[in-house]
Amino acid sequence: MRTSIRGSRRLVALAAVAALTTGLLAGCAEDSSDGSSDTSSGGGDSNGKITLTVGTFGVFGYKQAGLYDEYMKLHPDISIKENVTERNDVYYPKMLTRLQAGSGADDVQAIEISNITEVAQTQADKFEDLSKAKGYDKSQFVDWKTQQATSKDGKLVALGADIGPMAVCYRKDLFQKAGLPTDRDELAKLWAGNWDKYVDLGKQYMKKAPAGTKFVDSAAGVYNAVISGSKDRYYGADGQPDYEKSAGRKQAWDTSMQVATSNMSAKLKQFDKPWDQAYANGKFATVSCPPWMLGYIQEKAGDAGRGKWDVAAAPNSASWGGSFVGVPSQGKHKAEAIKLAQWLTAPEQQAKVFAKQGSFPSTPSAYASLKPQPATNAYFNDAPIAQIFGDAAKNIPVATFGLKDQQIGSAIADIGVLQVEQQGKSPAQGWSAAEKEIKDVLGE
């Protein structure tokens, strides 16, 4: 089975954050051979208590932030067990199988953003409508997040957990050597409103680029940044694929092709080993950067990068990654599970997970109180991280997602863009290769 790109990106990103946090994984359950610690599901009674199970892919941070212990202290009649499956491409099919079987699902199930449209459109009858739950407050969450988890008939299948608002992380020292501005606010103004302005700055960078460096890590990274801020992606409002005509897709492709056919890219594939090594060797000056990327940069660039990296607002608001939590209707303790899901995703709890794990909240009221780790602030020149990502989160457009959104995006970024950038094929040839893969995915 092909690995879910977004799932694996979440995994490596969270692993990077975990590596930076002493003892972060000390309390995690042992994983079995399929990457799962799932030994029981569906809830049950134990010593007079109600046991609620929470199914997650990767490290969500609820346990690490002490939320389960805090909730059980507040509710002595509740016991919580977390079932962790490392890989979403293992976790998600297993969840679907259990939903179809009508038994075995966890009381609270995490859902990756690349799967939320499929769940909302095809599995809504198997989840509780959380919009009707007592205490639900729609205003707590960014609107676009809630809309992603809402079915066509208005049923809210899951509550927003973390999101991935986009910024640009850049090497301040390399910009200075290239004769470019280094102030984060000045840079944000230079490329505000259009990723093509960011590419124009890349052309300036390359005129005086420090020896052995490029402006950006990869054209695929630029493609992902542009499409992540586009309302129009691969599907129309009618739910049918329209990737060929999509204005957002075309803009993302054209901008990435400017990069792929120029000399400004290090021509790397994100999350491959050479990309990691390029961080350590200082081979590129910018990278599209959601909050979880900060931990990744700190790990891969190491001590040599401390104080050299900074963070500026991206040309457009966008979101890369994120997750939800839902309550399957088959559970024995649905009322208690809904209360737990609401509590875990409340602004106060999301702020606690951010402080421990770096997962950015989907609840705007939490932004003013977010406290990044002091080491992270120091590493990125005391950039106002919470403000930059918080401002981006509030303006992310409501994008239309489809059933095969993730697979289509991977075909374009990992096949089409890479063939142009790394194999020297023409943009027309690259698009043809991506389109062939997309048609296979869609069964056309």
Side-chain angles (χ1 to χ4, degrees):
M1 180 179 292
R2 186 171 183 169
T3 300
S4 167
I5 299 300
R6 292 191 179 188
S8 59
R9 281 173 179 167
R10 177 186 180 86
L11 181 63
V12 294
L14 292 178
V17 174
L20 294 165
T21 309
T22 303
L24 186 63
L25 298 179
C28 285
E30 293 291 331
D31 290 330
S32 61
S33 59
D34 71 347
S36 170
S37 62
D38 189 354
T39 55
S40 66
S41 59
D45 296 332
S46 175
N47 299 321
K49 293 184 177 181
I50 292 174
T51 298
L52 298 177
T53 60
V54 179
T56 73
F57 52 93
V59 180
F60 263 59
Y62 295 151
K63 184 173 184 176
Q64 291 74 17
L67 297 189
Y68 296 149
D69 288 342
E70 184 177 349
Y71 192 83
M72 288 186 286
K73 188 175 182 180
L74 292 170
H75 302 83
D77 59 332
I78 299 292
S79 177
I80 301 173
K81 178 180 181 298
E82 186 180 70
N83 290 321
V84 181
T85 301
E86 284 190 357
R87 297 172 61 93
N88 188 49
D89 60 350
V90 176
Y91 169 88
Y92 183 61
K94 181 169 62 178
M95 184 186 80
L96 291 180
T97 297
R98 290 175 173 177
L99 289 174
Q100 295 301 322
S103 64
D106 289 297
D107 294 296
V108 177
Q109 292 274 182
I111 303 168
E112 216 266 343
I113 188 171
S114 63
N115 304 124
I116 192 63
T117 298
E118 183 172 27
V119 170
Q121 292 186 10
T122 70
Q123 306 295 319
D125 62 329
K126 298 177 179 62
F127 281 87
E128 292 298 286
D129 183 356
L130 298 177
S131 70
K132 296 180 179 178
K134 183 180 180 181
Y136 170 66
D137 183 358
K138 182 180 180 180
S139 67
Q140 285 188 334
F141 302 91
V142 287
D143 286 341
W144 57 270
K145 188 78 170 177
T146 299
Q147 291 188 37
Q148 287 176 336
T150 302
S151 67
K152 291 181 179 178
D153 60 357
K155 189 175 183 179
L156 181 64
V157 300
L159 300 173
D162 66 309
I163 58 176
M166 194 83 75
V168 174
C169 291
Y170 66 100
R171 282 282 299 262
K172 198 170 183 177
D173 58 322
L174 297 182
F175 270 47
Q176 186 174 31
K177 291 177 181 177
L180 296 179
T182 60
D183 179 77
R184 65 180 74 94
D185 294 330
E186 187 175 355
L187 287 170
K189 289 179 181 177
L190 282 175
W191 57 48
N194 196 318
W195 281 92
D196 287 346
K197 295 179 182 177
Y198 165 85
V199 174
D200 289 342
L201 195 69
K203 294 174 183 175
Q204 292 185 44
Y205 178 92
M206 293 311 300
K207 291 178 180 177
K208 296 182 179 179
T213 72
K214 299 293 184 181
F215 178 67
V216 62
D217 64 319
S218 67
V222 174
Y223 176 84
N224 185 60
V226 180
I227 196 69
S228 295
S230 301
K231 182 178 180 181
D232 302 318
R233 294 170 57 88
Y234 311 125
Y235 284 79
D238 60 356
Q240 297 301 309
D242 72 344
Y243 61 92
E244 293 172 292
K245 298 179 180 178
S246 163
R249 194 281 303 163
K250 287 182 177 179
Q251 179 63 59
W253 176 262
D254 291 345
T255 302
S256 69
M257 287 300 100
Q258 290 188 61
V259 175
T261 57
S262 74
N263 65 342
M264 73 175 70
S265 173
K267 303 183 186 299
L268 298 164
K269 184 178 182 182
Q270 293 188 327
F271 302 99
D272 277 2
K273 192 171 183 178
W275 188 65
D276 292 347
Q277 293 170 335
Y279 277 110
N281 298 327
K283 294 296 186 183
F284 55 82
T286 68
V287 62
S288 305
C289 189
W292 48 262
M293 189 73 83
L294 302 183
Y296 199 87
I297 292 173
Q298 291 175 76
E299 184 196 27
K300 301 306 177 185
D303 291 342
R306 181 175 290 108
K308 295 178 180 176
W309 284 92
D310 209 316
V311 185
N316 299 112
S317 293
S319 182
W320 182 6
S323 60
F324 302 79
V325 294
V327 176
S329 297
Q330 65 180 244
K332 295 180 180 178
H333 307 290
K334 289 179 287 189
E336 290 79 5
I338 289 172
K339 290 179 182 177
L340 175 59
Q342 289 178 319
W343 189 83
L344 290 173
T345 56
E348 297 82 2
Q349 278 60 256
Q350 293 209 37
K352 294 171 187 174
V353 175
F354 173 81
K356 186 68 176 179
Q357 192 76 12
S359 300
F360 203 82
S362 59
T363 49
S365 64
Y367 296 164
S369 63
L370 295 182
K371 297 178 180 178
Q373 294 190 24
T376 300
N377 275 335
Y379 199 95
F380 292 94
N381 272 301
D382 292 321
I385 294 168
Q387 179 182 341
I388 291 171
F389 290 121
D391 289 346
K394 295 173 184 175
N395 296 305
I396 293 169
V398 179
T400 301
F401 285 81
L403 296 181
K404 302 295 183 182
D405 208 85
Q406 184 267 320
Q407 294 93 327
I408 295 173
S410 294
I412 296 174
D414 296 342
I415 296 177
V417 176
L418 274 186
Q419 288 196 3
V420 176
E421 185 171 51
Q422 294 189 353
Q423 300 177 21
K425 294 187 176 180
S426 70
Q429 291 173 316
W431 176 250
S432 179
E435 192 170 37
K436 182 178 183 302
E437 174 71 11
I438 293 170
K439 290 183 181 300
D440 287 344
V441 167
L442 297 177
E444 296 178 343

